[in-house]
Amino acid sequence: IVGIGECSPMHPKLVAETIASALKPIIIGRDLFDMERMSEDVFIKTYKFRGRLVFMAFSGIEIAIWDAIGKALKLPVYKLLGGEYRKNIKVYASFMRRDQPPKEVAERAEYFVSQGFKAIKIKIGKRWGFDDLPDNAIETVKEVRKAIGYGIDLMVDCNSAYSAPRAIQIGRKLEEYNIFHFEEPVPEHDIESLRKVSEALDVPVAAGEQNCGRYEFKELIVKDAVDIVQPDVTKAGGFLECKKIATLADSFGKVCTPHNTQPTIGTVATLHFIASTPNCRYPMEYNIEPHPLKDTLLKEPVVPKDGYITVPDGYGLGVELNEEVIEKYGVEVK
């Protein structure tokens, strides 16, 4: 039985080397069903250098293990993670590009609404809290709202663009356009600034795409720095860790909206997570930008229809890789 998974693709050579040199000795020969013990061993035995790289590397392995377990038991992964809470999952069209003219962003948003999406997320700002102003954030949101109307949910993602005072100022102006959530308005490491922004605004503040493991998310949640937590299944530690993060968020009355920019295996894994996790109540992220393997890596690509995706029902993740694509692009890591 072969399980498939995906790691967050940031610095793939480093991730591959982490798998080969650090994680392989911990995992090879283990009983795959002993997931709690295996996860703990990874956390403990890498403690001198453990960080985001280890979490990203283990995430892909962990997803592949659940895929293998599902195949062995002849069950879809979501059945193993708590069963079906929802089957048809609403998705939002997530824009990855920034610094485009406002009218161009509005035209793209209007196009994806015409394709059936009921929710859109756009990028604003310059990243990393430098207040690189003036920018076209307000004008962009204004033009997009004009193009898509107020019947479509509109999320705004800053990717850590502003200082707290500037984020509050911009967030208050954006509230006039009824935005659905205000994502990562300040640098992700500055939890106190994030808390200040959340406290000052009425619009829900979302963050967590950079965070790994439940202990980092504990800081966001306990300090009331966010309203919406955004673990990434391919980055934060895999299914089991993200289920714990979602449960922690739920116990504090917060919604879990996973981050997801990977349109193939990452999307499928996120679907299984959301299908089985009650407090994933808002639309799921779906990357609409061009991707070299989007239409070819999976034998049957998973694509939205009328703004929804149905979680695959096959064993494990329920998808198969196109072996010709793997043969063409694959690199074996010893």
Side-chain angles (χ1 to χ4, degrees):
I1 295 175
V2 177
I4 61 172
E6 181 173 17
C7 307
S8 176
M10 309 302 291
H11 302 293
K13 290 183 179 180
L14 291 178
V15 173
E17 178 58 32
T18 300
I19 291 172
S21 63
L23 301 187
K24 184 176 177 180
I26 300 172
I27 291 166
I28 292 297
R30 304 292 291 266
D31 184 331
L32 298 188
F33 289 86
D34 295 339
M35 188 69 74
E36 287 281 8
R37 184 58 181 267
M38 192 188 312
S39 299
E40 184 180 78
D41 281 352
V42 168
F43 188 79
I44 292 172
K45 292 180 179 180
T46 62
Y47 77 101
K48 286 290 187 182
F49 57 91
R50 180 183 61 242
R52 293 176 182 178
L53 189 58
V54 168
F55 276 100
M56 284 191 287
F58 183 62
S59 294
I61 296 172
E62 201 257 17
I63 292 168
I65 290 173
W66 282 105
D67 183 43
I69 290 173
K71 290 171 179 174
L73 299 179
K74 295 182 168 50
L75 288 170
V77 166
Y78 71 85
K79 288 289 188 182
L80 306 173
L81 296 175
E84 179 186 325
Y85 188 89
R86 56 181 66 82
K87 194 66 179 295
N88 297 314
I89 297 169
K90 185 177 180 180
V91 297
Y92 65 81
S94 184
F95 292 27
M96 299 293 129
R97 298 160 61 187
R98 59 189 345 110
D99 293 330
Q100 295 175 280
K103 289 190 180 297
E104 186 176 325
V105 180
E107 288 172 0
R108 294 189 78 212
E110 189 173 25
Y111 168 77
F112 284 104
V113 169
S114 75
Q115 299 302 299
F117 286 96
K118 311 296 190 301
I120 301 286
K121 185 172 82 175
I122 62 172
K123 303 276 192 179
I124 63 170
K126 310 284 187 177
R127 291 188 180 182
W128 294 119
F130 297 149
D131 289 338
D132 194 1
L133 300 175
D135 66 17
N136 58 12
I138 307 302
E139 183 64 23
T140 298
V141 173
K142 179 181 177 180
E143 289 294 329
V144 171
R145 261 296 175 228
K146 187 188 302 182
I148 67 175
Y150 281 82
I152 302 295
D153 293 331
L154 176 60
M155 294 83 162
V156 176
D157 186 359
C158 310
N159 285 125
S160 299
Y162 305 112
S163 65
R166 189 66 68 188
I168 292 168
Q169 181 185 52
I170 289 175
R172 284 174 177 159
K173 291 180 180 178
L174 295 181
E175 285 179 332
E176 299 174 17
Y177 300 100
N178 193 29
I179 61 173
F180 190 86
H181 80 218
F182 193 38
E183 184 171 330
E184 214 175 51
V186 299
E188 45 81 22
H189 58 269
D190 191 349
I191 295 177
E192 179 58 24
S193 287
L194 192 58
R195 187 197 62 77
K196 289 178 181 177
V197 176
S198 296
E199 189 177 71
L201 299 179
D202 292 327
V203 64
V205 171
E209 70 174 78
Q210 311 292 350
N211 297 93
C212 298
R214 60 191 181 276
Y215 300 112
E216 287 192 10
F217 279 89
K218 181 188 73 172
E219 293 296 304
L220 288 176
I221 293 166
V222 171
K223 292 183 178 179
D224 207 21
V226 293
D227 304 292
I228 300 169
V229 297
Q230 297 180 293
D232 188 319
V233 178
T234 71
K235 184 186 294 182
F239 286 123
L240 192 61
E241 195 70 13
C242 286
K243 290 289 285 189
K244 293 176 181 179
I245 291 164
T247 299
L248 179 61
D250 193 34
S251 67
F252 280 80
K254 299 182 186 299
V255 174
C256 180
T257 300
H259 175 264
N260 168 52
T261 58
Q262 305 314 303
T264 56
I265 302 167
T267 284
V268 174
T270 306
L271 287 169
H272 281 273
F273 175 73
I274 290 176
S276 62
T277 306
N279 68 323
C280 291
R281 304 189 187 281
Y282 296 159
M284 165 185 153
E285 183 171 20
Y286 181 80
N287 182 354
I288 48 79
E289 304 294 354
H291 185 282
L293 302 179
K294 192 172 191 175
D295 300 320
T296 60
L297 181 61
L298 302 179
K299 285 187 177 180
E300 295 185 16
V302 177
V303 295
K305 183 177 180 181
D306 296 325
Y308 286 80
I309 304 179
T310 300
V311 61
D313 239 344
Y315 301 154
L317 293 176
V319 295
E320 293 183 65
L321 296 178
N322 184 336
E323 293 299 333
E324 292 181 0
V325 174
I326 299 297
E327 184 68 25
K328 181 177 180 180
Y329 296 107
V331 178
E332 186 175 0
V333 179
K334 300 293 185 181

